[in-house]
Amino acid sequence: LMHVFRYAMIAGVAFLGVTMASAPKDPERVFSFVLAESVPSGLRGLLVAGMIAAFMSTVSSWINAGGSLAVRDLVQPLK
């Protein structure tokens, strides 16, 4: 069920980006343009908070993997 919502949201953002007259030609800027021009401010805040949370989760995973790597490869051989 979540896959349907995800793909519908991606298709909606792509559709808005293509059909808006003043949309940027650079595909990297379409999402931020649609977010700034079409989404109300309260929902915009929730979307930005969700993106920041996803980024924080990714960085947390990197830090955890780095710590595991350091302990496994550097500390355990010394024992």
Side-chain angles (χ1 to χ4, degrees), residues 50-62:
M51 289 188 290
I52 291 172
F55 173 74
M56 289 171 56
S57 172
T58 302
V59 171
S60 171
S61 298
W62 289 346

Side-chain angles (χ1 to χ4, degrees), residues 11-74:
V13 168
F15 178 75
L16 283 173
V18 169
T19 58
M20 295 178 103
S22 61
K25 300 300 179 201
D26 183 16
E28 296 291 326
R29 294 181 168 209
V30 170
F31 184 73
S32 60
F33 176 78
V34 170
L35 191 66
E37 298 294 323
S38 300
V39 178
S41 62
L43 185 58
R44 189 179 317 147
L46 286 174
L47 289 173
V48 170
M51 289 188 290
I52 291 172
F55 173 74
M56 289 171 56
S57 172
T58 302
V59 171
S60 171
S61 298
W62 289 346
I63 291 171
N64 188 23
S68 297
L69 179 80
V71 168
R72 188 90 170 142
D73 292 343
L74 301 175

